[in-house]
Amino acid sequence: MNDNAPPTSVGSGSTGRIHPGTSCAARVVRVVAAVLCALGLSAVAASPARADPMAGGDLQVAQTLGDRDLTFMLRRVTGLPGPLHVDVLTHRGTAAGTLRLGAVPTGVSTDRAEGSSAGTTTSRASVRLGGTPGSYGAALDIDRAGPWELVVDDGSRTARIPFVVPGQATSPPELAVFGGFVTAGVLILVTLFVAVRVRRGAWVLLPAGGVVAALAVAVTAALLSASLPPPPQPGGQVDATNDNVTDPYAVVRPVTNDYSRPPVSLELGSYPAKAGERGTLRLSVTDGATGLPADDLVVHDGALMHLLVIGPTGELWHLHPIRTAPATYEVRLRLPAAGLYAVSAEFARLGGGVQQVRSATGLTVADGPEHNGPARGGSSHNGSARGGAPALPAELTPQGPGTRTIEGVPVRLSAPSPTAGEASTLTARIGDTPTLQPWLGMVGHMIVVGPLDKADATSPTRMGQAAQGAPVWAHAHSMGGDMSGHSAHDMRAAPAHDADAMGHGDAGGMEHGNADAMGHGDAMEDGHETGKGDGHGAGTGSMSGLMPLNGDSPADETVAAYGPDASFVYTFSRPGYYRVWIQAERDSAILTVPYLLRVSPAGGAR
């Protein structure tokens, strides 16, 4: 028997040999299967597990609605048509009541059948606010993509909050991945069919090559999707009324923000209320180049507009006016003392960057009758005789670094030897436990005004006037989100700064400086943008608990797990006396802590 004889086939009619084409087809099928497995595994291993960046995040908007300081959380819309969940977060002291909500589409729909609904309320709901701070929610129906307004009515005034619902669409990389794998699957079936039915194995190479090409396209798209920039954001980078309304990928041109857009003019309406009386301050913003209403403000740091008011006694109000009409805002106030109040507003324009504009005239409040009761902003005054300024409580009197108590909470400030032109780190330990809540998206805020003459910096009656002419205003952020409960700073006592200078009063002026804990900021001196450089260095704590990850939304005020340290890195541009207010949220209350700092000249001169 010949052991080297070719094997015989079992089938009837067999010739005892395997056809060369069949052997070739089998090898091609095995190779294609191996390539499919390898590329499939590589795609699974390399593809990032992230949410669609165009899914959008929750929108947080603070509003001073009458006597209520509220935060509206507009949760992302995950499908159209679908619900828009609105959570209203209240603070300590918020009065109970009912808010009526409405959803109004403001853009032009691509569907002619929906065109008539633009400008009309398509969905309504009510939110019953309780007497205790917390979250109160409702849901509105959203039936199309594009720009909308959330209308909030408290019975006496109406706020209109603009927002954009991005279209739900599959990204081009996803289409390439899905199409590539589907095409590969179909061609594999074709390859198997050809391998079985065609006697010449060379024909199998055609569909097999298509399988490899389709897989290559799918895997390449999956690998490159992580590095491709997202498409322009509707309402943020392109006009939501015209571009990317229903398809976020309709406009994919590179977008460059135009930071040369002219600043707006801030105009204050008449304020007839006298000292101690409640009144409504109306504001309008107009384009500095055309004089037309500037109704292109977008949500920045959790609000459409941040209004800072500094009074004659040095009290600070950080408010968020409601939008009542295009380019028109209003806020309800009760200003306790007669005199001049310095006023400034911070906001961001569509494509124009962040702007901080100081009122050219400020706000003059006439003397009123004797009054008692809490002033707007959470402080309490004992009342004063006609013609006099009410005395500030001890906790609102500015002091130097050290420990003090604000609304029953111990606050300790460490500010070692600030020097002009050098980055300084100011750390406030608020309470003793990590229970701070993010307010306006940050763990802490710091308002800086100066430099001031010592007499003005300690005056209990001239601070509004001093603030009006101060060259520097700054708004710095502490963005560190350390949720571990461990402080990275040594909170040993810092040296005192001119103990004899600790008196009444605050200051004003305006160098806008978003100098956050990571050490960067935009500066504005004497009302003019000067560029970067308010702070250098690194802050403390991990930002992982506060910043959004994988398309998620950042933590909001319902999370009380930060601090107790709030650190700020800021560079004082000039020597002198500065009034500083540090703000943070704890136990659903906004704490405002005033300080007085003396900044030494560069080179160590005193």
Side-chain angles (χ1 to χ4, degrees):
M1 182 176 182
N2 186 2
D3 294 336
N4 296 324
T8 58
S9 175
V10 179
S12 61
S14 172
T15 60
R17 301 179 62 185
I18 299 178
H19 194 279
T22 305
S23 176
C24 178
R27 287 196 297 270
V28 169
V29 171
R30 287 195 295 269
V31 171
V32 170
V35 171
L36 176 62
C37 293
L39 293 179
L41 290 175
S42 65
V44 172
S47 297
R50 65 166 65 184
D52 181 1
M54 283 307 299
D58 299 340
L59 181 65
Q60 173 179 316
V61 186
Q63 295 278 266
T64 303
L65 185 61
D67 295 327
R68 297 186 177 102
D69 287 317
L70 305 173
T71 300
F72 290 85
M73 299 297 301
L74 282 64
R75 306 299 180 181
R76 71 183 71 184
V77 178
T78 57
L80 292 173
L84 168 68
H85 294 280
V86 180
D87 293 333
V88 183
L89 308 181
T90 63
H91 302 105
R92 190 192 307 169
T94 300
T98 300
L99 301 180
R100 288 171 290 277
L101 309 181
V104 179
T106 58
V108 178
S109 174
T110 56
D111 187 350
R112 293 183 179 180
E114 296 179 350
S116 59
S117 64
T120 61
T121 304
T122 60
S123 179
R124 291 181 173 86
S126 295
V127 177
R128 175 66 183 175
L129 303 181
T132 58
S135 178
Y136 303 88
L140 298 167
D141 295 328
I142 301 296
D143 57 4
R144 68 185 188 185
W148 289 72
E149 282 185 352
L150 174 66
V151 180
V152 183
D153 182 6
D154 68 348
S156 59
R157 59 193 57 80
T158 301
R160 297 181 175 273
I161 304 174
F163 66 98
V164 176
V165 177
Q168 309 294 321
T170 304
S171 66
E174 288 178 324
L175 291 176
V177 172
F178 297 152
F181 279 115
V182 170
T183 303
V186 173
L187 290 178
I188 286 177
L189 297 179
V190 175
T191 302
L192 295 176
F193 178 80
V194 172
V196 172
R197 300 300 299 268
V198 178
R199 299 181 63 87
R200 297 187 62 180
W203 290 103
V204 180
L205 296 177
L206 293 177
V211 171
V212 174
L215 289 175
V217 170
V219 172
T220 301
L223 294 176
L224 294 180
S225 62
S227 59
L228 294 177
Q233 298 288 330
Q237 296 175 310
V238 293
D239 187 357
T241 61
N242 297 314
D243 302 328
N244 292 22
V245 174
T246 57
D247 183 3
Y249 301 94
V251 179
V252 294
R253 64 179 182 269
V255 176
T256 301
N257 287 334
D258 180 14
Y259 289 97
S260 64
R261 173 174 287 191
V264 302
S265 298
L266 178 66
E267 299 179 8
L268 307 183
S270 61
Y271 185 75
K274 298 181 179 180
E277 299 176 348
R278 295 190 181 277
T280 299
L281 175 64
R282 292 179 172 82
L283 310 98
S284 58
V285 288
T286 57
D287 185 86
T290 64
L292 298 175
D295 193 36
D296 55 0
L297 304 191
V298 296
V299 174
H300 160 66
D301 288 345
L304 286 169
M305 178 184 291
H306 300 265
L307 189 71
L308 298 178
V309 180
I310 298 176
T313 63
E315 191 172 358
L316 171 75
W317 288 262
H318 182 172
L319 307 170
H320 305 98
I322 62 173
R323 175 178 173 269
T324 58
T328 303
Y329 297 79
E330 71 175 40
V331 63
R332 188 171 174 83
L333 292 166
R334 193 183 77 166
L335 301 175
L340 180 66
Y341 289 75
V343 180
S344 73
E346 176 185 331
F347 43 77
R349 298 185 67 183
L350 177 63
V354 180
Q355 300 180 13
Q356 185 127 22
V357 181
R358 201 186 319 180
S359 170
T361 59
L363 180 65
T364 300
V365 177
D367 198 7
E370 183 177 357
H371 55 275
N372 292 279
R376 186 72 186 91
S379 61
S380 177
H381 297 271
N382 298 323
S384 64
R386 183 178 179 87
L392 282 176
E395 66 179 16
L396 294 181
T397 301
Q399 299 177 5
T403 302
R404 62 187 307 178
T405 301
I406 301 293
E407 297 187 20
V409 179
V411 181
R412 186 174 186 176
L413 177 67
S414 172
S417 303
T419 302
E422 299 179 5
S424 301
T425 299
L426 287 71
T427 301
R429 168 163 286 187
I430 303 169
D432 299 318
T433 57
T435 54
L436 297 184
Q437 301 162 261
W439 183 50
L440 305 175
M442 287 79 177
V443 173
H445 299 256
M446 182 174 71
I447 310 300
V448 178
V449 171
L452 303 168
D453 180 78
K454 182 178 178 180
D456 290 336
T458 56
S459 171
T461 59
R462 300 195 305 271
M463 284 309 306
Q465 184 67 45
Q468 183 68 25
V472 173
W473 288 45
H475 183 180
H477 295 145
S478 176
M479 298 181 67
D482 188 0
M483 301 178 67
S484 64
H486 301 289
S487 171
H489 271 279
D490 182 3
M491 294 301 296
R492 290 174 294 183
H497 291 264
D498 264 346
D500 61 342
M502 307 312 164
H504 298 276
D506 293 71
M510 193 128 263
E511 174 185 285
H512 170 64
N514 274 339
D516 58 28
M518 298 305 292
H520 59 274
D522 299 329
M524 181 175 288
E525 190 164 335
D526 292 323
H528 301 288
E529 186 174 343
T530 59
K532 307 288 183 181
D534 282 346
H536 306 280
T540 64
S542 168
M543 298 177 66
S544 60
L546 185 64
M547 302 303 291
L549 298 176
N550 294 331
D552 294 334
S553 296
D556 55 38
E557 297 175 46
T558 60
V559 180
Y562 300 97
D565 293 344
S567 296
F568 306 86
V569 177
Y570 182 74
T571 300
F572 295 91
S573 60
R574 307 179 185 184
Y577 289 89
Y578 286 81
R579 296 297 299 271
V580 175
W581 297 264
I582 291 178
Q583 294 186 302
E585 182 174 359
R586 188 175 187 269
D587 295 333
S588 296
I590 309 302
L591 304 178
T592 300
V593 191
Y595 289 100
L596 176 62
L597 296 181
R598 183 181 185 275
V599 177
S600 301
R606 304 297 293 181

